[in-house]
Amino acid sequence: MSPSHSSLDTQLVFTPGEAFKAVDSQESGHERSGAQVVQFPHLTNNTPASPGPSPKRTLLDGEDEEPAIPTSFERSASPTSALHRNRGAQYEKVGEEGICKMHKFSLYETASRYYLVGGDIMDRKYRILKIDRTAESGDLSIAEDDIVYTKKEMNQLLNAVDDGNKSTGGLKLKCSTWGLLGFIRFTGAYYMLLITKRSQVAMIGGHYIYQIDGTELVSLTTPTSTRFKMDRNPEEARFVSILKNLDLSRSFYFSYSYDITHTLQHNVSREREALRQRSSGSTQKQHNEMFIWNHYLLEPAAEVFKNTYDWCLPIVHGFIDQATLSIYGRTVYITIIARRSRFFAGARFLKRGANDLVCDYTGGKLAWNLPRSQGYVANDVETEQIVSEMLTTSFHAPGPRLYANPNYTSYVQHRGSIPLYWTQDSAGVTPKPDIELNLVDPFYGAAALHFDNLFERYGAPVYVLNLVKARERTPRESILLKEYTNAIDYLNQFLPEASKIVYRAWDMSRASKSRDQDVIGTLESLAEEVLTTTSFFHNGDDLNGNMKMQNGIARTNCIDCLDRTNAAQFVIGKLALGHQLHALGIISETFIEYDTDAVNLFTHMYHDHGDTIAIQYGGSHLVNTMETYRKINQWTSHSRDMVESFKRYYNNSFLDGQRQEAYNLFLGNYIFAQGQPMLWDLSTDYYLHHADPRAWSAKQRRSYIQWFTPEFLVRREMPNAVQPQGFLSDKPLGFFDDYWLEYYRPLAVSSFLKIFSFRMNSTLRYVPFKSTQGGKYDLSPFRVRTGNEHETSEKSRPRKGVTILDPQGEKQTTIIRTAPNSDGAMSKSKALPDWLQSQLNEVTTAKQSILKDSGLEVRGISKDSASMPERTKSPKDKSAIAQWTLNQFVVNSLNPSVTESEADEYGRYINHPLNLPLVVSTGTPPSPSLEFLGYINSVSPEAISNLHSTEEDIADYAEFLEVGDDPLTVTDADTPKKRYKAYRQWLKGKSLFKQQRVDV
């Protein structure tokens, strides 16, 4: 521990030569010499006496608290008198007061070097990294300075570097960045990959999670170097082009302070165990290398950095989303994190089943837990849903009891291809290639390795939900069903009874096409069995007695692990959501009904989750969504499913090869070597993902009976929450979990509109607030929305709308529409779900019958327009009147009504005298009604005398009376008869009825 110092005002004086030495002394090891080590004053939370940073600009509404593009380090000219170091001071070294977590970087360049300056979130601590641009081909020369500088000291250092390089152009700003992803090399010099743009997507325990929105690949060469120019090295240019096919701005995520490569349960358990062993877990984080997608880029950094994660950020690929559930003032965060494995990663038809790649990595400086087994499967995705009540932000309970906050719960699921050696040949044009079992293994080695890896990651038991087809005309999926079932049966006979694999096979595709099977009901029954088997994680301590641990995992698969798998995982996740809310004390039961705000919000999140996973693996969105399996909106859902099927077929046939090359290059599956074929010359990448049999055939094989590791089957328990002991007892909370500065951002001026928690999607945004003014709307997110409960007083309010006039001059009918914008154009409504659209549907003040012709449509008729003269409301012609819009047709169909004239006519009809005498003579009855007199006077005696029949009429009548033996059969002889005139027209393709065209 370094001694404390009195103030921050100590003047730092040093010569320009010593400034260079601060950066260039990495090899000489100035701190290892016998000379006295200079130490700078420690930083405190007190406001420094020296001038602080300039005020930040006011951000626009809708932006994050920090801009998406980082700002550079603010340099200023330093006076010459300041270039003399105080010999009595000492350096502050990294590691003495914890790692200096850098949140933004500025890259400067000179003629021969790059200087990467990193600063913390408060702009108080800075570090610097020197990168040589003149190193030999294939060498990475980086000097890391472990001194932590203040802003004033860093400014003086950069000015000294600038002065020393004036003859070659000085020090210039190259770019600003949010983080360093690592280094990569193809055929010549190294490249540095930087994050240039980011956006906030989630917040867990006060730690933000960001999505990468922009990157930049910087070549570590000098501008005058001709050895590595693209135009002189076409292979290098092609490798760079292939790498750019991998869009790092889509679905790649990182965090500065939260380990997103592990589950919440693992992170909390690890920190508690570190406290129990009297060590600081914050300095010993071990990331799960299975989900670190820039693992290959971090390998060169691990050889030159003392701590790789001081400078580089691990990134995960998958999906992250967060939304707010508002329950009468109580706020609950729902977070979905999907992590895609980097092992055996690739496109749909190119990566199927399991691989047999052996991992022998044991060295290096990266503190990663490398699985000792293999058995990696394609489309391996771990999905975690975290439900937390935000009474307090951090993971800690009052006391403080570190990492014991009982308001955090999580549940984890897994999806992955069937762990067998099988492939599909996509070389043809068929959308469903044949499935081939490439290797018949009677001991099911790939499945054994895979399930042993699941035991290591999640514990036991493993619940397998197999959704492949069981009955097919041409056996495809059913081949794998039989082989997979045999594999589970074989492996289960050696497992202990309490740890056996729970296997359930169900043909979900066939059930969804059957009218007598309830797909959702069956899935809910299976989900209840899953939750009973695995439980879920609920944080806490022994004081509340509600702590739970998830032991085991639900592994769901279909043939692609996309559509059916996502629907099944949604139902399991929905049931887990009910259990999690019940554990937090939000609801009294463990089940949430469909069509509630909470489930609808969760459905949209899972739909986005499934779409993202499907695009990454299959090239298109989900083909079958929850609407398909719930059998709602079948017309729109069916057309959408057809479009997505075609998009998936096109991507699989023509674009998957390019994506696979980018995966192989970025993940380090292919590494360029002299004399070896180029990546684009390989006919297959099979040998990049599978081991050479000659390499492992001589090694000792795993036991076919003891195929599992017994230690992985032990039930997992959460370490007890303990207070820091020993030298940790006097440490502040920020030493263990420095969430305060990142989340609350002291000294930063912001507004609610910029705070991520305020801008987060919420169930409150779906509530029609105008309908709550009468107090009739239930704001509970667990209330089933029927769509007919939003009766408000808005019907009587004058609003801009559309007026439909009756062509006969009857009373106008006003139908409320969306109010026009300021420019006069009607605002385009956002696509909303059915449950919300029914709430915001158009309101009618009077219903008009769909049997009446529509009149002229006038936009913006006011309430007083009814008093306008009728001559200004002339209707259009019949063709225009008949052109009903689809919206008008639906509104009038659902809301039938009659006009005043129709009501009067109906009244006269029901009031018609019913005691009219039977007419047996030509005499007029006494006291006849006017209507009857009008009828008898309309027929004159002359008209009656002119009634007579011709011989042709008599012949037609006689022909009509003739009935054949089979009157229902129309013969050729009957075709010329008049009675079959309409039938003859129908045979020619004409309609039997006269219909009016409807404008849709």
Side-chain angles (χ1 to χ4, degrees):
M1 297 292 297
S2 303
S4 59
H5 295 269
S6 58
S7 70
L8 295 173
D9 298 335
T10 305
Q11 294 297 323
L12 307 171
V13 232
F14 51 87
T15 64
E18 289 175 330
F20 280 110
K21 186 177 181 180
V23 180
D24 296 337
S25 60
Q26 185 69 27
E27 299 297 330
S28 60
H30 52 77
E31 73 276 9
R32 290 189 295 271
S33 61
Q36 180 182 4
V37 179
V38 182
Q39 184 175 5
F40 294 129
H42 287 275
L43 294 175
T44 66
N45 289 331
N46 299 328
T47 305
S50 58
S54 59
K56 294 186 177 181
R57 64 180 179 89
T58 303
L59 302 178
L60 299 177
D61 291 347
E63 294 182 354
D64 293 339
E65 291 182 87
E66 289 186 309
I69 301 175
T71 56
S72 61
F73 178 80
E74 298 179 4
R75 290 181 54 198
S76 59
S78 298
T80 307
S81 59
L83 295 177
H84 299 285
R85 182 184 302 276
N86 185 354
R87 299 296 182 181
Q90 292 183 346
Y91 291 107
E92 178 186 356
K93 296 294 185 62
V94 175
E96 295 179 355
E97 290 295 334
I99 298 176
C100 175
K101 298 176 182 177
M102 293 172 284
H103 284 244
K104 51 186 175 182
F105 304 81
S106 296
L107 183 64
Y108 293 91
E109 63 176 342
T110 63
S112 59
R113 290 181 178 88
Y114 280 124
Y115 293 92
L116 187 64
V117 177
D120 68 346
I121 194 171
M122 296 295 294
D123 290 331
R124 288 180 173 178
K125 296 182 179 181
Y126 293 89
R127 294 185 63 191
I128 191 168
L129 192 71
K130 184 186 71 173
I131 306 173
D132 192 358
R133 304 171 63 185
T134 60
E136 294 295 329
S137 174
D139 294 337
L140 185 62
S141 178
I142 298 179
E144 178 185 8
D145 187 4
D146 59 352
I147 301 175
V148 179
Y149 296 94
T150 64
K151 185 172 185 178
K152 182 178 180 181
E153 298 162 3
M154 181 57 66
N155 187 66
Q156 295 171 356
L157 179 60
L158 293 179
N159 288 335
V161 174
D162 190 15
D163 294 339
N165 290 271
K166 286 294 186 182
S167 60
T168 57
L171 184 70
K172 300 178 180 179
L173 178 66
K174 172 71 174 178
C175 65
S176 299
T177 172
W178 290 116
L180 174 63
L181 296 182
F183 305 89
I184 189 171
R185 173 177 174 266
F186 305 124
T187 63
Y190 274 94
Y191 294 86
M192 180 169 51
L193 189 59
L194 304 173
I195 302 174
T196 58
K197 195 175 181 180
R198 72 179 188 188
S199 59
Q200 297 171 342
V201 293
M203 189 277 297
I204 302 176
H207 305 280
Y208 280 115
I209 300 176
Y210 300 91
Q211 175 176 308
I212 298 176
D213 293 331
T215 58
E216 182 175 352
L217 193 65
V218 179
S219 176
L220 302 184
T221 59
T222 57
T224 58
S225 176
T226 58
R227 293 179 297 168
F228 310 113
K229 284 190 175 181
M230 296 291 182
D231 54 351
R232 300 197 178 191
N233 193 345
E235 290 82 6
E236 183 80 7
R238 186 161 183 179
F239 277 121
V240 174
S241 176
I242 291 175
L243 184 65
K244 291 182 179 179
N245 288 331
L246 180 62
D247 190 0
L248 292 176
S249 63
R250 297 182 60 180
S251 306
F252 284 88
Y253 307 90
F254 70 93
S255 177
Y256 295 104
S257 53
Y258 181 75
D259 183 7
I260 58 177
T261 65
H262 279 116
T263 63
L264 177 63
Q265 175 176 300
H266 181 278
N267 290 336
V268 172
S269 177
R270 179 187 60 196
E271 298 292 345
R272 285 193 179 188
E273 184 65 24
L275 290 174
R276 191 177 66 86
Q277 296 179 359
R278 299 185 180 182
S279 62
S280 174
S282 60
T283 60
Q284 299 177 356
K285 287 185 178 180
Q286 296 179 343
H287 297 275
N288 187 352
E289 60 90 29
M290 186 178 192
F291 301 115
I292 300 178
W293 271 64
N294 57 333
H295 166 271
Y296 175 63
L297 280 71
L298 296 180
E299 287 182 352
E303 300 297 328
V304 296
F305 293 150
K306 294 182 178 180
N307 192 320
T308 308
Y309 300 114
D310 279 5
W311 295 97
C312 300
L313 294 170
I315 61 174
V316 299
H317 187 35
F319 173 81
I320 297 180
D321 191 18
Q322 190 173 54
T324 303
L325 199 64
S326 181
I327 310 101
Y328 296 116
R330 301 177 67 177
T331 302
V332 174
Y333 283 2
I334 301 177
T335 310
I336 295 181
I337 303 177
R339 308 173 181 93
R340 177 176 293 279
S341 171
R342 70 179 181 89
F343 296 118
F344 206 42
R348 181 188 178 198
F349 286 138
L350 302 181
K351 291 294 167 284
R352 293 294 210 185
N355 72 342
D356 58 357
L357 188 61
V358 181
C359 295
D360 294 329
Y361 183 87
T362 56
K365 298 182 180 180
L366 293 180
W368 289 335
N369 288 330
L370 202 73
R372 68 184 82 178
S373 62
Q374 46 191 348
Y376 303 119
V377 297
N379 199 20
D380 188 314
V381 180
E382 172 187 280
T383 301
E384 177 183 19
Q385 63 183 57
I386 301 175
V387 180
S388 56
E389 184 179 5
M390 301 310 296
L391 292 177
T392 55
T393 303
S394 69
F395 295 126
H396 317 294
R401 302 193 306 276
L402 299 181
Y403 300 99
N405 190 343
N407 295 322
Y408 279 88
T409 65
S410 74
Y411 183 73
V412 184
Q413 301 184 65
H414 177 271
R415 73 171 70 185
S417 188
I418 297 177
L420 301 172
Y421 296 122
W422 63 281
T423 58
Q424 280 184 287
D425 186 10
S426 60
V429 294
T430 173
K432 294 183 179 181
D434 293 335
I435 294 177
E436 300 178 3
L437 282 169
N438 304 98
L439 179 62
V440 178
D441 184 4
F443 304 106
Y444 301 101
L449 293 172
H450 175 68
F451 282 106
D452 191 39
N453 180 255
L454 292 182
F455 288 149
E456 180 182 10
R457 292 157 60 185
Y458 309 110
V462 174
Y463 190 103
V464 176
L465 181 56
N466 188 12
L467 303 176
V468 300
K469 298 178 181 178
R471 297 174 58 185
E472 299 173 295
R473 293 182 180 179
T474 302
R476 293 179 58 258
E477 298 184 17
S478 55
I479 299 175
L480 296 177
L481 172 64
K482 180 180 179 181
E483 193 71 11
Y484 195 18
T485 304
N486 294 337
I488 300 296
D489 293 341
Y490 172 81
L491 298 177
N492 262 340
Q493 60 183 333
F494 306 113
L495 283 172
E497 189 64 31
S499 303
K500 288 186 180 296
I501 302 172
V502 182
Y503 179 72
R504 298 288 183 270
W506 179 50
D507 191 344
M508 182 176 173
S509 178
R510 186 178 184 87
S512 64
K513 298 175 183 178
S514 177
R515 296 184 178 181
D516 58 348
Q517 293 196 39
D518 183 8
V519 175
I520 303 301
T522 305
L523 288 177
E524 287 179 342
S525 301
L526 294 172
E528 193 69 47
E529 186 178 351
V530 168
L531 264 295
T532 304
T533 303
T534 64
S535 188
F536 62 95
F537 170 64
H538 183 195
N539 194 25
D541 53 19
D542 296 335
L543 298 180
N544 53 41
N546 296 325
M547 186 174 60
K548 293 182 179 180
M549 288 284 285
Q550 179 176 347
N551 280 275
I553 192 72
R555 186 195 191 279
T556 310
N557 71 269
C558 52
I559 195 65
D560 294 321
C561 301
L562 296 180
D563 304 335
R564 287 168 280 176
T565 297
N566 198 74
Q569 285 196 338
F570 163 76
V571 176
I572 297 174
K574 170 183 169 293
L575 184 64
L577 175 64
H579 282 267
Q580 290 172 282
L581 293 174
H582 175 73
L584 295 176
I586 303 296
I587 57 178
S588 59
E589 303 293 335
T590 60
F591 182 79
I592 311 176
E593 295 287 347
Y594 284 95
D595 300 320
T596 59
D597 292 352
V599 173
N600 288 322
L601 181 67
F602 189 69
T603 303
H604 298 153
M605 297 178 67
Y606 241 93
H607 188 275
D608 294 339
H609 160 262
D611 277 342
T612 304
I613 299 300
I615 290 175
Q616 295 167 5
Y617 184 62
S620 71
H621 294 85
L622 289 173
V623 173
N624 298 309
T625 62
M626 279 304 299
E627 291 184 347
T628 306
Y629 295 112
R630 289 187 64 191
K631 299 180 180 180
I632 56 178
N633 294 336
Q634 296 191 46
W635 287 105
T636 57
S637 177
H638 182 65
S639 60
R640 175 198 172 278
D641 295 349
M642 293 178 61
V643 173
E644 294 302 331
S645 297
F646 178 77
K647 289 170 61 178
R648 183 174 297 181
Y649 166 72
Y650 175 81
N651 282 277
N652 296 157
S653 301
F654 304 105
L655 302 180
D656 279 357
Q658 300 177 12
R659 258 192 322 138
Q660 190 64 54
E661 287 182 348
Y663 282 143
N664 291 334
L665 192 62
F666 183 77
L667 295 174
N669 298 324
Y670 173 86
I671 301 176
F672 170 78
Q674 290 291 343
Q676 298 297 326
M678 293 294 181
L679 175 61
W680 49 86
D681 293 332
L682 296 177
S683 58
T684 176
D685 65 345
Y686 177 85
Y687 298 102
L688 302 180
H689 296 268
H690 295 77
D692 188 348
R694 295 172 295 183
W696 55 265
S697 58
K699 296 183 179 181
Q700 183 179 359
R701 297 178 180 271
R702 294 170 60 100
S703 173
Y704 296 137
I705 297 177
Q706 193 73 16
W707 59 268
F708 56 92
T709 306
E711 292 79 9
F712 299 159
L713 305 181
V714 178
R715 184 174 180 82
R716 305 186 178 190
E717 300 291 342
M718 177 65 69
N720 294 328
V722 297
Q723 296 294 334
Q725 304 293 330
F727 74 97
L728 297 176
S729 58
D730 58 345
K731 296 291 184 182
L733 179 60
F735 179 79
F736 304 97
D737 184 17
D738 193 9
Y739 71 93
W740 182 270
L741 296 180
E742 183 176 2
Y743 182 66
Y744 291 100
R745 300 182 56 79
L747 306 181
V749 179
S750 184
S751 65
F752 284 114
L753 295 180
K754 282 78 175 181
I755 298 176
F756 173 75
S757 301
F758 184 83
R759 296 184 291 106
M760 194 186 306
N761 190 22
S762 171
T763 52
L764 290 179
R765 298 194 176 188
Y766 300 131
V767 175
F769 284 101
K770 293 183 179 180
S771 63
T772 65
Q773 296 176 358
K776 299 180 180 180
Y777 189 89
D778 189 353
L779 293 176
S780 171
F782 309 108
R783 168 73 181 272
V784 178
R785 306 302 181 191
T786 60
N788 299 322
E789 56 186 20
H790 310 288
E791 299 294 335
T792 67
S793 59
E794 295 183 5
K795 296 181 180 181
S796 59
R797 298 180 183 178
R799 294 178 57 188
K800 293 183 178 181
V802 173
T803 302
I804 300 178
L805 304 178
D806 189 88
Q808 279 74 22
E810 296 160 355
K811 183 177 291 186
Q812 64 182 10
T813 301
T814 303
I815 298 181
I816 303 301
R817 302 290 187 208
T818 305
N821 297 331
S822 59
D823 57 356
M826 299 300 290
S827 62
K828 184 177 181 181
S829 61
K830 185 178 180 181
L832 297 175
D834 297 337
W835 59 274
L836 178 58
Q837 191 64 44
S838 62
Q839 300 174 13
L840 305 180
N841 232 350
E842 300 162 345
V843 185
T844 59
T845 58
K847 280 77 175 180
Q848 181 175 344
S849 171
I850 64 172
L851 301 179
K852 290 294 293 182
D853 289 336
S854 171
L856 176 65
E857 297 182 11
V858 182
R859 189 183 303 271
I861 298 297
S862 63
K863 180 179 178 181
D864 299 332
S865 61
S867 60
M868 294 175 62
E870 293 293 335
R871 57 183 176 85
T872 63
K873 305 176 182 179
S874 58
K876 296 183 178 180
D877 54 9
K878 291 185 177 181
S879 61
I881 293 175
Q883 301 301 315
W884 286 85
T885 64
L886 179 60
N887 194 29
Q888 294 167 349
F889 187 82
V890 172
V891 169
N892 288 275
S893 299
L894 297 178
N895 303 282
S897 62
V898 294
T899 61
E900 291 184 358
S901 61
E902 291 173 335
D904 295 340
E905 182 181 354
Y906 182 71
R908 288 189 291 106
Y909 168 75
I910 60 177
N911 294 327
H912 194 276
L914 303 179
N915 54 355
L916 289 177
L918 180 63
V919 179
V920 295
S921 64
T922 58
T924 302
S927 302
S929 64
L930 297 177
E931 185 177 1
F932 181 71
L933 288 177
Y935 167 73
I936 61 177
N937 293 330
S938 62
V939 182
S940 60
E942 292 79 7
I944 297 177
S945 61
N946 292 331
L947 292 176
H948 63 278
S949 58
T950 61
E951 295 182 357
E952 184 179 358
D953 295 334
I954 296 175
D956 292 340
Y957 182 66
E959 179 185 355
F960 179 77
L961 295 178
E962 294 179 0
V963 179
D965 297 335
D966 190 3
L968 298 180
T969 302
V970 180
T971 62
D972 295 338
D974 298 330
T975 304
K977 297 180 180 179
K978 290 185 177 181
R979 72 177 72 174
Y980 299 113
K981 179 180 179 181
Y983 178 70
R984 292 194 304 270
Q985 294 178 348
W986 179 77
L987 290 177
K988 295 178 181 180
K990 297 182 179 180
S991 176
L992 290 174
F993 309 99
K994 293 183 178 179
Q995 299 179 346
Q996 260 191 331
R997 183 163 57 93
V998 177
D999 181 18
V1000 295

